[in-house]
Amino acid sequence: MSLLLIPLALCCSVPVQASEISVCSLSYRPKTNETAFAAVGSSLKIADETCTNHYLIIPFDTVSNAITIPQGEYRAVSIDEEEVLFTTDNGAGHKVKSCPVCDPIDYLVIRKNTPKTLCVKSALKVNSCAVDDSISYVVTKKSHTTEGLCAPSLVYFGRDGNTLKFAVNDCSSISKPTLSYDLSFGDEIRFLDEQIKILKADNKGIFYSRMEPPALKVNDLLSREQLEQELKTKENDKTVKSSDKIASTQNENRAASSEDVQSESSAPTQNIVENNGESMQ
């Protein structure tokens, strides 16, 4: 049985291009160089996904002898050379319905050769259209953000002396806390292509910041010059740490000497005063 849309008002819009149907992007928290806190057992990075899509906006309920199109926003789901298909869900839980003895409606449709005409496609792939310019609608672009999605990340599991313990969350499961970093090698750690600066860590949680991505990515091949530079950097780091250790020892020695001098200067002294040939202490 064919379907009939009752003419309503004005309308219209031009179908969008295939590449513009849906575009999604991920952003991460904390952002680069932001300081954050993660409690023991929580991930050091989470993702937010923002998707931009085209929607068919129906400004008010449309009722005919055959179908009902509730007011709302209908998301674009597909496009080909001939038509753009929109979902039948208006975003508020209400769907386009056909009459009880008619085929169920699978999609709202805008054809490229008749962009001012709204059609429907039934479950049996039958297209039925309203009269041109008879239904009021607008196609517009909107963005929606889903927050708090999983991102592959380290999960903090406490501190043992100078060693930080982590598990790995690969978004399918969380491993046992078998990954560890020794802070005696520095307060900057790396996991895959993620670099993190440790500010403070204890049994409650960890204060940290995400750093700029490293220059050398996972499995990068090094030229001889790059390798020599890396080795030189490592030697310089050793020299700096050695100098810091010597300076620290010297400062401790100076502090100890200063304490000895203060101790001596504060010791009681004996004053001898001569009076009539006698000595008094």
Side-chain angles (χ1 to χ4, degrees), residues 153-206:
S153 174
L154 294 175
V155 179
Y156 182 59
F157 267 92
R159 180 170 185 164
D160 182 8
N162 214 30
T163 300
L164 302 185
K165 296 181 292 183
F166 294 92
V168 176
N169 182 3
D170 64 1
C171 295
S172 61
S173 63
I174 298 178
S175 71
K176 293 182 179 180
T178 55
L179 188 62
S180 62
Y181 293 88
D182 189 344
L183 292 182
S184 63
F185 290 103
D187 57 4
E188 296 177 3
I189 66 175
R190 175 171 176 170
F191 172 67
L192 299 178
D193 284 333
E194 187 82 22
Q195 288 194 144
I196 299 169
K197 183 175 182 64
I198 309 300
L199 305 176
K200 178 184 176 182
D202 55 28
N203 289 332
K204 293 181 179 179
I206 184 171

Side-chain angles (χ1 to χ4, degrees), residues 39 47 73 91 95 101 103 109 117 120 137 158-159 161 178 221 247 251 265 274:
E73 302 177 354
K95 293 188 174 184
V101 295
D103 296 336
V109 182
T117 301
V120 295
Y137 66 85
R159 180 170 185 164
T178 55
L221 297 178
N251 290 334
S265 63
E274 292 184 0

Side-chain angles (χ1 to χ4, degrees), residues 68-113:
T68 299
I69 305 177
Q71 172 188 355
E73 302 177 354
Y74 298 84
R75 181 173 54 87
V77 294
S78 178
I79 187 172
D80 58 26
E81 296 298 326
E82 298 181 353
E83 58 192 16
V84 182
L85 303 183
F86 297 86
T87 180
T88 58
D89 189 322
N90 72 345
H94 302 293
K95 293 188 174 184
V96 176
K97 296 180 180 179
S98 60
C99 65
V101 295
C102 298
D103 296 336
I105 303 301
D106 278 353
Y107 302 102
L108 294 174
V109 182
I110 298 179
R111 291 178 174 177
K112 292 186 176 181
N113 59 352

Side-chain angles (χ1 to χ4, degrees), residues 17-32:
Q17 298 299 315
S19 61
E20 299 176 335
I21 283 293
S22 182
V23 178
C24 295
S25 62
L26 287 175
S27 59
Y28 299 98
R29 288 183 282 144
K31 297 179 181 178
T32 302

